[in-house]
Amino acid sequence: MKIYLAPMEGLADFYLRKLIARTGGYDLVVTEFLRVVDQLLPVHVFYRNAPELHNKGRTDDSTPVRLQLLGNQPEALALNAQRAIELGSQGVALNFGCPSKTVNKSKGGAVLLNEPETLYQVVKAVKNAVPAGHITSAKMRLGFNDNNLMVECADAIVQAGADELTIHARTKAQGYVPPAYWHLVGEFRARIPIPVIINGEIWNNGDAHRALAQSKCDHLMLGRGAIRQPWLAKQIKNNRDDIESWPIMLLLVHEFWVLVRVQMGEKYCAGRLKQWLHYLKEIYPEANLLFIDIRRLTDLEAITSRLEKELNN
Ligand SMILES: Cc1cc2nc3c(=O)[nH]c(=O)nc-3n(C[C@H](O)[C@H](O)[C@H](O)COP(=O)(O)O)c2cc1C
């Protein structure tokens, strides 16, 4: 079984990808989407999206990193896919799932699930542009407003030559509201002759095994579950339900804070820490107390002191 860390724009950035991948069990991490309109993007944009390209497309602990592209223009996407590979991306991922209104309005992300023919043209162009031996993967939802076209969309992606397909088992209209409809993927999994990776609402080891069984898939992609509990991939691979202790989790949080303070600039770092704690507090009561204490703080030294107090507890 392979486990991928999901692309999450504004959440699974370079810093979190680095720390989460290091907990082990992840076979691949996918970057936040890079939006392509009608031309080849400058090289610095690729490096900004995926600083791991400076490290041959791998995280510090050597987990492969795949750049995700979003757009609807086959030629432009093909050029950018080629460039991503030249720069070291471990394959190219295509986004057919983004629910953002702005993105959908400009015909990117989930709205393309209304047009299986466009999916076909995009995947085909990218597949043809990506050198042999490199993976072209796609990530789709079950549809836009409903799932009437889910099989056509999956077929189009496969017929265009995709090597892997990830399915977030909800429509765009269903947003992020539970449940995820893993069993619907199970209904057509048999007709897809490439690896299918199931995604959506996998928060613990039990969910993971239920998702695999119901979807009849062999592989998983973890999104918010991995943000809440970075060791989730390892737990699933070891078929264990225990969670990592707060003191160990806190070391990771502290390392994150040190990293973002230095690298990200004053304006954003406090927000990023609060955002992560917001996820962690679902699992760790200590993270909740920490979150409450720093929620209104903007002074970075005050946040650092509170974190250090927690570390010395
Ligand atoms: C904050 C956030 C940002 C996301 N950004 C992306 C993205 O850039 N590309 C993408 O394909 N999916 C994106 N997604 C969707 C996730 O990859 C994943 O499909 C979704 O969260 C369902 O999985 P989960 O229930 O395990 O979180 C995003 C999700 C969240 C919560």
Side-chain angles (χ1 to χ4, degrees), residues 1-5 25-29 62-65 233 237:
M1 181 211 321
K2 287 189 178 162
I3 302 185
Y4 294 174
L5 178 65
Y26 296 92
D27 298 280
L28 180 82
V29 310
S62 209
T63 306
V65 178
K237 285 196 173 167

Side-chain angles (χ1 to χ4, degrees), residues 86-102:
E86 279 162 21
L87 294 175
S89 177
Q90 306 284 323
V92 174
L94 292 167
N95 179 326
F96 302 129
C98 181
S100 145
K101 269 203 180 102
T102 326

Side-chain angles (χ1 to χ4, degrees), residues 78 81-82 120-132 136 160-163:
Q82 221 163 25
Y120 177 84
Q121 296 302 341
V122 164
V123 175
K124 191 158 184 270
V126 169
K127 172 72 181 176
N128 288 341
V130 164
T136 298
D163 302 293

Side-chain angles (χ1 to χ4, degrees), residues 5-12 30-34 68 70 94-99 139-141 166-170 175-176 180 199-203 221-226 275 279:
L5 178 65
M8 284 176 280
E9 207 250 335
L11 183 59
V30 183
T31 70
E32 302 160 269
F33 70 78
L34 189 57
Q68 190 189 58
L70 178 148
L94 292 167
N95 179 326
F96 302 129
C98 181
K139 178 162 175 280
M140 62 177 273
R141 285 180 177 247
T166 299
I167 307 183
H168 175 188
R170 269 186 285 241
Y176 292 97
N199 167 244
E201 291 304 311
I202 299 169
W203 299 98
M221 177 179 273
L222 305 176
R224 294 159 300 161
Q275 181 192 38
Y279 280 91

Side-chain angles (χ1 to χ4, degrees), residues 4 9 25 37 47 49 78 80-81 114 129-130 146 149 158 172 178 200 209 224 229 236 248 275 286 288 303:
Y4 294 174
E9 207 250 335
V37 183
Y47 284 121
N49 172 271
N80 284 283
N114 287 329
V130 164
D146 55 49
L149 291 176
V158 169
K172 180 264 172 193
H209 290 96
R224 294 159 300 161
Q229 177 53 237
I236 295 168
I248 302 284
Q275 181 192 38
E286 299 91 338
N288 189 33
I303 296 176

Side-chain angles (χ1 to χ4, degrees), residues 129-161:
V130 164
H134 293 273
I135 283 181
T136 298
S137 63
K139 178 162 175 280
M140 62 177 273
R141 285 180 177 247
L142 294 178
F144 192 69
N145 285 325
D146 55 49
N147 59 23
N148 291 344
L149 291 176
M150 65 184 175
V151 177
E152 282 86 338
C153 288
D155 280 350
I157 289 168
V158 169
Q159 281 158 17

